[in-house]
Amino acid sequence: LVMYEISSEIRQKIQDAIKEAESQTSAELVAVVTQKSGDYLYISVLIASVLALLFPFGILFFFPDMDVFMVYGIQLLAFMFLLLLLTMPPVLRFILPKSLFIKAAKLKAYETFDLLGLYKTSNHQAVMIFVSLYEHAIEIITDSGINAKINDTLWQKTIHDFINAIHHDGFEQGYLNAIREISTLLREHFPIQKDDKNELPNTLIEV
């Protein structure tokens, strides 16, 4: 899912799905996607540096008479090769724990909720669906009005279904299914009101 290009057709379908959902609930639904939640370059540099520092010990063990400048040159090349290798998304995802990526996505999701001002709605009933592509992570962040009636654990099924849909049916279908599931839950607890106003954008937001 890294660097997934979202077409205008997908954007329109998501916008239409949100519009349909909000026609039946007083809550505000916001769709957000980011290509990457964290910058992991410092981790790549750290790992490459540590491994490169160990290289001379291995070289001198097998070649004790090697010239010191030759050893330094090999060490430098090793560092550059390791850094290049560790900046490749599949490699980094393989060696780092999944919890690190989940934590980065969760932090970015809460930061985005605040930066977009989603806590400023009149009834505090904003729900944000946040997808972080590189981290393969999905977060559903809600404002206080939603939290008062719906426990966070109820969103876990939607997140689980979303992840499965992405793997089997693709990003588009996963997002649309999630919007429909969330809409069903919101209609039950927050039915549409006569004086309801659309306070937040229905378009897919990229951050």
Side-chain angles (χ1 to χ4, degrees):
L1 284 175
V2 180
M3 298 309 293
Y4 179 84
E5 187 175 349
I6 303 169
S7 68
S8 56
E9 182 182 359
I10 293 176
R11 293 174 186 277
Q12 188 60 52
K13 286 182 178 180
I14 290 174
Q15 182 175 338
D16 291 343
I18 291 176
K19 186 177 180 180
E20 172 64 23
E22 290 186 352
S23 69
Q24 303 173 66
T25 175
S26 61
E28 293 281 341
L29 210 54
V30 178
V32 179
V33 63
T34 186
Q35 295 290 340
K36 199 174 185 181
S37 287
D39 182 5
Y40 307 100
L41 181 60
Y42 74 97
I43 298 178
S44 300
V45 172
L46 179 62
I47 296 174
S49 300
V50 171
L51 293 177
L53 285 172
L54 297 175
F55 253 71
F57 296 100
I59 295 170
L60 293 174
F61 179 81
F62 292 104
F63 306 100
D65 300 324
M66 182 176 286
D67 181 77
V68 64
F69 292 105
M70 180 68 75
V71 173
Y72 175 74
I74 294 174
Q75 184 182 34
L76 184 60
L77 287 173
F79 170 76
M80 295 172 64
F81 172 76
L82 288 168
L83 184 58
L84 179 63
L85 185 67
L86 291 168
T87 52
M88 295 180 179
V91 175
L92 200 59
R93 285 192 55 80
F94 180 75
I95 64 174
L96 294 181
K98 185 178 180 180
S99 58
L100 182 67
F101 296 109
I102 298 298
K103 185 177 180 180
K106 187 178 290 292
L107 179 61
K108 180 70 176 275
Y110 278 102
E111 288 178 349
T112 301
F113 193 90
D114 286 338
L115 287 172
L116 294 177
L118 303 187
Y119 55 88
K120 295 180 180 179
T121 59
S122 58
N123 55 13
H124 297 287
Q125 293 178 3
V127 178
M128 180 183 73
I129 309 171
F130 180 87
V131 178
S132 186
L133 298 173
Y134 179 83
E135 285 77 10
H136 295 185
I138 298 160
E139 297 288 336
I140 296 177
I141 310 297
T142 57
D143 203 356
S144 58
I146 301 293
N147 297 335
K149 291 188 177 182
I150 302 178
N151 191 285
D152 282 345
T153 56
L154 292 178
W155 303 120
Q156 294 309 309
K157 179 183 180 302
T158 299
I159 292 174
H160 182 266
D161 292 345
F162 197 159
I163 293 172
N164 283 340
I166 286 177
H167 288 311
H168 295 96
D169 304 312
F171 172 84
E172 173 189 340
Q173 197 57 51
Y175 224 126
L176 294 175
N177 289 348
I179 291 171
R180 294 186 187 105
E181 281 193 31
I182 291 171
S183 174
T184 300
L185 195 56
L186 292 176
R187 286 200 311 269
E188 179 184 347
H189 295 280
F190 306 97
I192 190 72
Q193 303 297 309
K194 290 182 179 180
D195 58 348
D196 184 74
K197 294 180 181 179
N198 187 20
E199 300 179 60
L200 298 173
N202 296 337
T203 55
L204 179 65
I205 300 172
E206 289 191 76
V207 294

